[in-house]
């Protein structure tokens, strides 16, 4: 090997073999160990795989084999597990380049909350340390997405949450500093845990190509913010609100950053309304939702669900307000 390079191996599910997903800036499509010889020298495959297995257990490694330096660094998630391993391979007498920036996250289907691993918010959102939080609602992340070309396939995987479900691709994210950055996002379904686990791999070499905000998205947000009601983008298959184009007005304003408890009967009605408009695009369903935030009494909200795309894509708008708002 004439020069060193960083590899990224995902270890997102304990019951599956680790796969190679990136070599430096280049994404790789879930390459299993039996095909690593297409990327590595054959003599490198076994020591790399052994190092990955040990790093998966949380043990970082630094070894020299036949003049080759091998480093293995675990990428930890919010729950203390290891979602990936960064591997350096290079001549033992050559300098090691700075490690690529990678962090992990998980989304729990039962609570609809995301759990951000160490360094994730600083990496993706360029967030000041004092503003970092571990637990976030989906709008906290998706509201920052400028470009997500694989959105439909990703959400199909999330909705199905089946064994073997996976998605990876590039996403452009706007940071707190308003700079747009490009990432390789690698995700797997973990149905036994009712969870989706993921890695975010920064690709600063492609930041110059990162998209500006889609004009249609800008228009939707601008119009929504002037309506005086909350306007959420909702996944019709499971009624998950993944972005607020317009924040809900008080006393529902905490919904923009907090997932409230919805009265069980009303949550069932919301799912039914989503299913109804998905089956009949262009129709609208109106209902009342009783919601409660931490430390509050029940708040009665009016809601309206309508499709914004075809029934094939399954996305809609949820408009929310209180009786006093209209």
């Amino acid at each position: 090997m004439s020069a060193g390079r960083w590899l990224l191996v995902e270890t997102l599910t304990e019951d599956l073999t680790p796969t190679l997903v990136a070599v430096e800036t280049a994404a790789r499509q879930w390459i299993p160990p039996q095909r690593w010889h297409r990327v590595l020298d054959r003599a490198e495959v076994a020591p790399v795989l052994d190092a990955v297995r040990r790093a998966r257990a949380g043990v970082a490694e630094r070894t020299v084999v036949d003049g080759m330096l091998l480093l293995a660094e675990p990428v930890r998630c919010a729950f203390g597990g290891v979602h990936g391993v960064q591997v350096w391979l290079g001549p033992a007498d050559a300098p090691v380049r700075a490690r690529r920036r990678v962090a992990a996250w998980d989304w729990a289907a039962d609570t609809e909350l995301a759990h951000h691993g160490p360094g994730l918010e600083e990496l993706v959102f360029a967030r000041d340390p004092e503003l970092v939080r571990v637990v976030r609602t989906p709008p906290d992340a998706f509201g920052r997405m400028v470009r997500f070309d694989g959105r439909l396939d990703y959400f199909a995987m999330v909705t199905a949450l089946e064994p073997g479900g996976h998605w990876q691709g590039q996403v452009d994210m706007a940071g707190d500093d308003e700079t747009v950055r490009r990432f390789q996002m690698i995700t797997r379904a973990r149905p036994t845990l009712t969870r989706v686990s993921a890695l975010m791999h920064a690709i600063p070499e492609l930041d110059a190509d990162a998209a500006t905000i889609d004009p249609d998205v800008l228009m939707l947000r601008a119009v929504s913010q002037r309506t005086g009601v909350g306007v959420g983008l909702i996944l019709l298959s499971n009624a998950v609100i993944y972005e607020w184009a317009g924040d809900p007005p008080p006393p529902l304003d905490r919904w923009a950053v907090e997932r409230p408890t919805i009265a069980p009967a009303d949550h069932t009605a919301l799912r039914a309304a989503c299913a109804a408009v998905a089956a009949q695009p262009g129709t609208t369903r109106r209902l009342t939702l009783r919601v409660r935030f931490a430390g509050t009494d029940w708040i009665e909200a009016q809601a309206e669900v309508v499709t914004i795309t075809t029934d094939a894509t399954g996305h809609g708008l949820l408009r929310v307000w209180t009786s006093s708002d209209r």
Side-chain angles (χ1 to χ4, degrees):
M1 174 177 291
S2 59
R5 53 184 172 167
W6 282 104
L7 315 175
L8 178 60
V9 177
E10 63 83 17
T11 58
L12 294 169
T13 54
E14 293 87 349
D15 57 337
L16 294 178
T17 302
T19 66
L20 181 66
V21 291
V23 177
E24 293 289 342
T25 63
R28 293 290 187 267
Q29 294 297 315
W30 317 97
I31 300 177
Q34 60 266 32
R35 291 199 284 119
W36 285 3
H37 65 272
R38 300 180 181 181
V39 177
L40 308 174
D41 293 339
R42 287 187 179 275
E44 296 170 345
V45 172
V48 168
L49 183 56
D50 288 343
V52 167
R53 286 169 175 161
R54 287 188 287 271
R56 191 176 196 173
V59 180
E61 181 155 332
R62 181 186 181 96
T63 59
V64 177
V65 180
D66 296 330
M68 175 189 69
L69 175 63
L70 191 160
L71 305 178
E73 295 285 346
V75 181
R76 300 182 185 276
C77 72
F79 300 103
V82 174
H83 279 2
V85 179
Q86 291 184 265
V87 177
W88 169 265
L89 279 173
D93 57 356
V96 178
R97 289 199 304 278
R99 193 189 324 169
R100 300 195 64 79
R101 301 187 68 197
V102 183
W105 58 263
D106 295 89
W107 179 76
D110 53 352
T111 63
E112 299 177 10
L113 294 174
H115 299 260
H116 291 172
L120 185 283
E121 298 213 339
E122 295 92 332
L123 173 64
V124 176
F125 306 125
R127 187 150 290 160
D128 292 336
E130 63 271 18
L131 299 178
V132 167
R133 284 166 45 194
V134 173
V135 180
R136 295 280 183 179
T137 64
D140 286 334
F142 285 102
R144 292 288 184 171
M145 282 189 169
V146 172
R147 180 176 178 178
F148 187 7
D149 292 341
R151 184 187 299 257
L152 302 184
D153 291 337
Y154 168 78
F155 277 121
M157 182 271 291
V158 170
T159 300
L161 205 63
E162 294 176 341
H166 60 279
W167 181 91
Q168 74 158 296
Q170 292 183 2
V171 297
D172 294 349
M173 306 288 296
D176 291 352
D177 57 1
E178 301 304 325
T179 298
V180 178
R181 298 172 176 86
R182 180 159 292 181
F183 297 87
Q184 177 191 7
M185 188 165 85
I186 304 111
T187 65
R188 280 195 183 275
R190 305 178 70 185
T192 58
L193 298 176
T194 61
R195 189 184 298 171
V196 172
S197 295
L199 293 169
M200 296 293 277
H201 170 208
I203 318 175
E205 295 86 351
L206 301 181
D207 283 353
D209 295 327
T212 55
I213 298 179
D214 188 303
D216 290 340
V217 173
L218 280 175
M219 183 175 294
L220 173 62
R221 292 174 180 170
V223 171
S224 299
Q225 290 162 11
R226 296 191 185 103
T227 62
V229 304
V231 181
L233 278 69
I234 189 168
L235 192 62
L236 298 176
S237 59
N238 57 11
V240 171
I241 302 164
Y242 59 87
E243 180 179 345
W244 287 103
D247 289 348
L252 301 172
D253 50 325
R254 285 172 61 180
W255 207 338
V257 294
E258 180 181 336
R259 180 182 180 269
T261 298
I262 301 177
D266 297 347
H267 197 252
T268 298
L270 175 60
R271 286 176 173 267
C274 287
V277 298
Q280 295 180 296
T283 60
T284 301
R285 290 292 185 275
R286 179 84 175 267
L287 64 159
T288 298
L289 299 177
R290 288 163 294 166
V291 302
R292 182 170 61 191
F293 301 95
T296 74
D297 294 326
W298 290 104
I299 302 169
E300 188 173 280
Q302 302 303 308
E304 188 176 77
V305 184
V306 61
T307 51
I308 55 172
T309 54
T310 68
D311 57 345
T313 60
H315 297 253
L317 289 180
L318 174 70
R319 303 172 72 244
V320 294
W321 66 92
T322 60
S323 299
S324 61
D325 296 324
R326 302 295 293 268

